[in-house]
């Protein structure tokens, strides 16, 4: 079985542009969470989606938005990019049963560089 | 406030030596605790997962312990190898939702193994 797939792996954008990042969860997983990880820091929670509905939102501006599709894949959109948005964006999928021992599996991330 | 604190922040050891990383958490409710290994620029990879009733769990040269009473966990690495150089992140999960998501991350310990 494939793991969590993220695309693209690397991306370079200029300030003010918009970007869309994509995530395909593990087959059977219905929850996708997005995290931003700035170099040298731990991941910061952005969004969680379960069954196509937003179930949690971190402290990020409205320039960040996301959605989940019927096949449980997800997109993260960032508008009006700032230099500070440069980071590794991680997607994690789960069955959305926090009590489950299986927990969360992360993708390899998308490295976004804003110049 | 739900928090996960790790120590030390960074660690340098010689190849072949053992080391122990610490994780203290003040998180409620508690579902499980995972140790992840994260290579630079890559997504975190799970090493061990422990639920409330588990005290010790091993994965090859990695052994994690959990004391749910004192809310402490440790990750012991035996006979370190150069490939162990990475950041090790302690993550506690539960049904928090909201602005935190379901995962509370430590900031990680950056381990460097030197020849």
């Amino acid at each position: 079985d494939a793991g969590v797939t993220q695309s693209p792996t690397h991306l370079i954008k200029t300030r003010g542009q918009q970007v869309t990042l994509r995530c395909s969860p593990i087959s059977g997983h219905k929850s996708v969470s997005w995290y931003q990880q700035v170099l040298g820091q731990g991941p910061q929670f952005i969004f969680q989606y379960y069954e196509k509905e937003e179930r949690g939102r971190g402290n990020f501006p409205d320039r960040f938005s996301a959605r989940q599709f019927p096949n449980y894949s997800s997109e993260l959109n960032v508008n009006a990019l700032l230099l500070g948005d440069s980071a590794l964006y991680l997607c994690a999928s789960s069955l959305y049963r926090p009590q489950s021992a299986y927990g969360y599996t992360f993708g390899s991330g998308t490295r976004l560089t804003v110049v | 406030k739900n928090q996960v604190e790790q120590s030390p922040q960074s660690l340098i050891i010689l190849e072949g030596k053992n080391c122990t990383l610490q994780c203290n958490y003040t998180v409620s409710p508690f579902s499980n605790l995972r140790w992840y290994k994260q290579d630079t620029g890559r997504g975190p990879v799970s090493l061990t997962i422990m639920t409330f009733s588990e005290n010790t769990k091993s994965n090859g040269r990695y052994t994690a312990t959990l004391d749910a009473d004192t809310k402490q966990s440790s990750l012991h690495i035996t006979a370190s190898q150069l490939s162990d150089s990475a950041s090790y992140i302690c993550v506690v999960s539960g049904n928090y939702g909201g602005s935190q998501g379901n995962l509370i991350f430590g900031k990680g310990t950056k381990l460097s193994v030197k020849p």
Side-chain angles (χ1 to χ4, degrees):
Chain A
D1 283 343
V4 179
T5 305
Q6 292 189 243
S7 63
T9 55
H10 296 86
L11 203 52
I12 299 175
K13 291 285 190 178
T14 56
R15 281 177 294 177
Q17 284 189 311
Q18 175 264 342
V19 68
T20 298
L21 311 181
R22 296 177 175 81
C23 172
S24 294
I26 291 173
S27 178
H29 282 195
K30 299 182 178 181
S31 177
V32 169
S33 298
W34 287 95
Y35 292 85
Q36 180 195 67
Q37 187 176 24
V38 175
L39 193 63
Q41 301 293 319
Q44 297 294 313
F45 173 67
I46 309 176
F47 287 109
Q48 183 184 39
Y49 277 79
Y50 174 68
E51 289 285 14
K52 302 174 287 295
E53 291 187 5
E54 182 183 299
R55 299 301 181 102
R57 171 189 285 256
N59 296 320
F60 280 81
D62 292 342
R63 299 184 295 109
F64 289 76
S65 63
R67 55 180 174 170
Q68 186 176 35
F69 298 99
N71 66 354
Y72 302 111
S73 67
S74 177
E75 288 183 351
L76 174 69
N77 295 286
V78 186
N79 293 324
L81 284 167
L82 303 174
L83 295 179
D85 294 331
S86 296
L88 180 68
Y89 288 83
L90 296 167
C91 171
S93 81
S94 74
L95 290 168
Y96 194 62
R97 287 186 291 130
Q99 293 73 29
S100 167
Y102 296 99
Y104 290 72
T105 301
F106 285 87
S108 296
T110 293
R111 168 66 63 185
L112 172 65
T113 301
V114 182
V115 297
Chain B
K1 181 181 178 182
N2 290 326
Q3 283 187 317
V4 175
E5 296 185 353
Q6 293 187 241
S7 61
Q9 185 175 13
S10 61
L11 183 62
I12 301 174
I13 61 173
L14 294 176
E15 186 179 12
K17 298 296 186 181
N18 304 333
C19 67
T20 300
L21 314 181
Q22 300 291 341
C23 173
N24 297 334
Y25 61 95
T26 55
V27 175
S28 181
F30 174 88
S31 176
N32 56 65
L33 184 149
R34 276 193 168 191
W35 284 92
Y36 286 90
K37 177 185 179 185
Q38 186 176 26
D39 294 316
T40 301
R42 305 290 294 175
V45 175
S46 179
L47 295 174
T48 65
I49 181 169
M50 303 181 72
T51 58
F52 185 87
S53 60
E54 296 175 299
N55 300 119
T56 302
K57 183 164 285 188
S58 293
N59 177 6
R61 294 181 297 104
Y62 301 102
T63 299
T65 66
L66 175 64
D67 186 334
D69 291 332
T70 62
K71 299 188 176 182
Q72 295 180 328
S73 176
S74 66
L75 180 69
H76 186 74
I77 304 174
T78 304
S80 61
Q81 301 176 358
L82 297 179
S83 59
D84 293 332
S85 296
S87 289
Y88 292 83
I89 305 175
C90 175
V91 183
V92 178
S93 67
N95 192 11
Y96 316 117
S99 63
Q100 285 189 305
N102 289 337
L103 302 180
I104 309 298
F105 287 82
K107 293 186 177 182
T109 292
K110 187 174 177 63
L111 175 65
S112 297
V113 181
K114 303 295 185 183

